[in-house]
Amino acid sequence: MLLLMAPLGAETAADRQTFRDIYQELVEINTTDSTGDTLRAAEAMAARLKAGGFPAADIQVISSGPRKGNLVARLRGTGARKPILLIAHLDVVEAKREDWSFDPFKLQEIDGQFRARGSIDDKAMASIFVANLLEYRQEGFKPDRDIILALTTDEELSDSPHDGAHYLLDHHRALIDAELAINEGGSGAMRDGKPARLSIQHAEKVYQTYVMEVTDRGGHSASGRRDNGIYRLAEALHRLSQFDFPINLNAITRAFFERVVAFEKQPTAAAIEAMLAGQTNDATAMMALTTRPEFNAVIRTTCVPTLLDAGHAENALPQTARATVNCRILPDQDVAEVQRTLERVIADDNVKVAPKGRAVLSPASPINPDVMRAVETLTGEMWPGVPVIPTMSGGYTDSRWLRNAGIPSYGVSGLFTDGANSGVHGVNEHVGVKELYRSKEFLYRLVKTLAAPGAASAR
């Protein structure tokens, strides 16, 4: 068969078509929480692996409830070293057809873009891992360690009892126990349509939601009372809107800014240099960072209101008024202190602050020289001149559970996207076709390097 040349001329037309088929099949299975089915998706990927020659004993579909499924598969190595875990989630954020320009659950390839819900988050990585495992098996690749694949459910739901990574660690730890994990969370940033930098996620902020609530005697709306619960809550939220938690860098974010400063223009570069020098008390000088959401999210704890609920009738004063405030807390910050800070900032004893759920503490993964060296080498070969930068995510991934359980996790995909304009968690999600195939090649070689040094180019 003729070779269909990939970016590095390394894969056959059959390999690429197999990946394309897996990707389409997975994307077109609705895996939203409301009407979707991750169990069906897990079973579909298990069938792919079985058809590719994986022994049934090395493939497990584990369900924690109706329509909730996880897949764990293992490519056996020599056992000379502890396994490496590849993890990606099967569930996707809700997607309403009326909001989208096209059917979110039909993969389209238009103008060099793949379009669909999950085309990036996170079915790109899940499909890549499945396709690459099949290629390793077909090649007879025998790594120094087992390669474990875990495709999980309910990663997108912060407090789901079916969260796959959490469930597997609690009930099937032996199946996924590993020396380290490769996950989502690190991606490639583009500038002017070209790769600009590649991130390796080493840490993520701690997710904690609080409910602010005012209770009141209520009464007739004709009274016009100005001390009603909605006003009180609104004033408390206004005070919160004027407050910024202090800037606090950790080892990962400091390393990130030390590298990224060279690629930023003024006044952002000056603000970064001042921050690195410890000059963070001047709010005006820090404004260039505070007003950049992607930077503000990693230099401090953030708390923002996301939901409101108040009143019971249009002609009655509210007896309750509630606001849901979602906080993303720096991994080395005391969670209890964040609640005390909120109470101090809103400055109203009538507004009660209570945590919703329990925070999952997740210490940063140490900078691993083997992982960094492998990523930097491959990046230099595939995207010459593109820097590799350690990062901390403002959001959370399944890595929070792994790090909490003592499995260092590194978010890296080699997938370059248009960031906030990609439609992830929004409408019309899309990814470049060329960029997706490059990501597949990157991860194919990265996992080989980490599983058997010197084998990265072998097919």
Side-chain angles (χ1 to χ4, degrees):
M1 180 177 290
L2 293 176
L3 288 179
L4 175 63
M5 299 301 285
L8 298 178
E11 65 181 346
T12 68
D15 291 334
R16 178 168 286 201
Q17 187 60 53
T18 296
F19 167 62
R20 174 69 163 73
D21 292 344
I22 290 169
Y23 182 57
Q24 180 165 355
E25 179 179 22
L26 191 55
V27 162
E28 293 188 351
I29 298 174
N30 182 337
T31 53
T32 59
D33 180 56
S34 60
T35 59
D37 192 334
T38 54
L39 178 57
R40 180 184 163 203
E43 290 171 340
M45 295 301 99
R48 289 277 181 176
L49 293 173
K50 289 176 183 176
F54 277 75
D58 289 338
I59 304 170
Q60 301 211 33
V61 174
I62 299 170
S63 177
S64 58
R67 300 187 294 112
K68 302 294 183 182
N70 307 278
L71 169 67
V72 180
R74 184 179 293 252
L75 178 71
R76 301 281 175 178
T78 65
R81 293 186 293 160
K82 197 172 179 181
I84 182 174
L85 173 65
L86 313 179
I87 187 167
H89 63 88
L90 294 168
D91 62 312
V92 295
V93 170
E94 299 291 337
K96 295 181 179 179
R97 176 63 186 89
E98 59 270 25
D99 295 338
W100 284 55
S101 301
F102 49 87
D103 186 341
F105 298 106
K106 292 293 182 185
L107 182 68
Q108 297 183 354
E109 183 176 347
I110 296 176
D111 297 330
Q113 300 282 325
F114 283 127
R115 310 194 307 178
R117 171 58 87 217
S119 56
I120 297 175
D121 189 15
D122 188 28
K123 291 180 177 179
M125 210 160 184
S127 302
I128 286 170
F129 284 154
V130 171
N132 285 348
L133 276 185
L134 288 170
E135 290 181 32
Y136 298 153
R137 173 81 185 179
Q138 184 178 4
E139 295 163 6
F141 176 50
K142 193 74 170 178
D144 297 344
R145 58 171 106 207
D146 290 359
I147 301 174
I148 304 170
L149 171 64
L151 303 182
T152 62
T153 189
D154 284 21
E155 186 272 349
E156 297 289 7
L157 306 177
S158 64
D159 57 355
S160 169
H162 302 287
D163 184 289
H166 191 194
Y167 185 86
L168 291 172
L169 285 167
D170 280 354
H171 300 282
H172 303 278
R173 171 69 183 256
L175 288 179
I176 64 169
D177 201 23
E179 181 180 324
L180 61 94
I182 299 296
N183 189 20
E184 64 168 344
S187 59
M190 302 184 80
R191 178 177 292 171
D192 300 325
K194 297 179 181 179
R197 62 175 180 259
L198 184 66
S199 299
I200 304 183
Q201 189 238 54
H202 286 69
E204 53 194 46
K205 295 172 85 174
V206 175
Y207 185 102
Q208 180 63 64
T209 293
Y210 295 92
V211 176
M212 294 184 178
E213 183 175 51
V214 179
T215 57
D216 189 79
R217 66 184 186 277
H220 203 292
S221 61
S223 68
R225 280 176 44 215
R226 295 195 175 188
D227 63 343
N228 79 58
I230 290 177
Y231 284 151
R232 276 193 166 309
L233 183 62
E235 289 166 358
L237 292 175
H238 176 70
R239 286 190 285 274
L240 178 60
S241 75
Q242 303 302 301
F243 172 76
D244 284 319
F245 282 84
I247 292 173
N248 190 4
L249 298 180
N250 55 40
I252 303 303
T253 52
R254 178 170 289 278
F256 169 78
F257 283 107
E258 285 174 346
R259 298 194 185 193
V260 83
V261 64
F263 304 96
E264 290 296 328
K265 299 177 182 179
Q266 299 296 354
T268 304
I272 293 174
E273 290 170 351
M275 178 177 65
L276 291 172
Q279 301 166 9
T280 60
N281 292 329
D282 185 344
T284 301
M286 293 295 102
M287 193 59 65
L289 302 179
T290 299
T291 55
R292 283 273 295 272
E294 72 274 24
F295 288 164
N296 188 59
V298 297
I299 63 176
R300 55 165 53 95
T301 290
T302 59
C303 293
V304 295
T306 55
L307 294 169
L308 291 172
D309 178 25
H312 59 283
E314 67 176 78
N315 59 350
L317 297 176
Q319 294 167 193
T320 59
R322 299 185 191 88
T324 299
V325 175
N326 182 240
C327 295
R328 306 299 177 110
I329 302 169
L330 294 174
D332 50 0
Q333 185 166 0
D334 181 9
V335 173
E337 177 57 31
V338 172
Q339 180 172 340
R340 290 192 289 270
T341 300
L342 290 176
E343 291 169 341
R344 184 175 69 253
V345 169
I346 64 177
D348 187 340
D349 291 340
N350 292 295
V351 182
K352 304 302 180 184
V353 180
K356 179 183 177 184
R358 197 168 102 181
V360 179
L361 303 182
S362 183
S365 297
I367 293 179
N368 184 311
D370 292 337
V371 174
M372 289 295 296
R373 183 164 50 249
V375 174
E376 287 172 342
T377 298
L378 289 175
T379 302
E381 293 173 0
M382 296 183 69
W383 302 283
V386 170
V388 175
I389 302 180
T391 61
M392 179 185 74
S393 293
Y396 66 82
T397 69
D398 275 338
S399 291
R400 60 180 176 156
W401 300 110
L402 299 173
R403 293 184 178 116
N404 188 268
I407 301 175
S409 300
Y410 302 93
V412 57
S413 67
L415 182 59
F416 286 83
T417 69
D418 191 17
N421 298 318
S422 65
V424 170
H425 284 219
V427 298
N428 301 336
E429 185 176 344
H430 61 278
V431 65
V433 173
K434 180 180 72 174
E435 285 73 23
L436 182 64
Y437 286 132
R438 294 280 276 181
S439 172
K440 178 183 179 300
E441 179 67 21
F442 173 84
L443 287 170
Y444 170 92
R445 298 176 67 192
L446 175 65
V447 172
K448 268 199 164 182
T449 299
L450 296 176
S457 299
R459 279 188 185 264

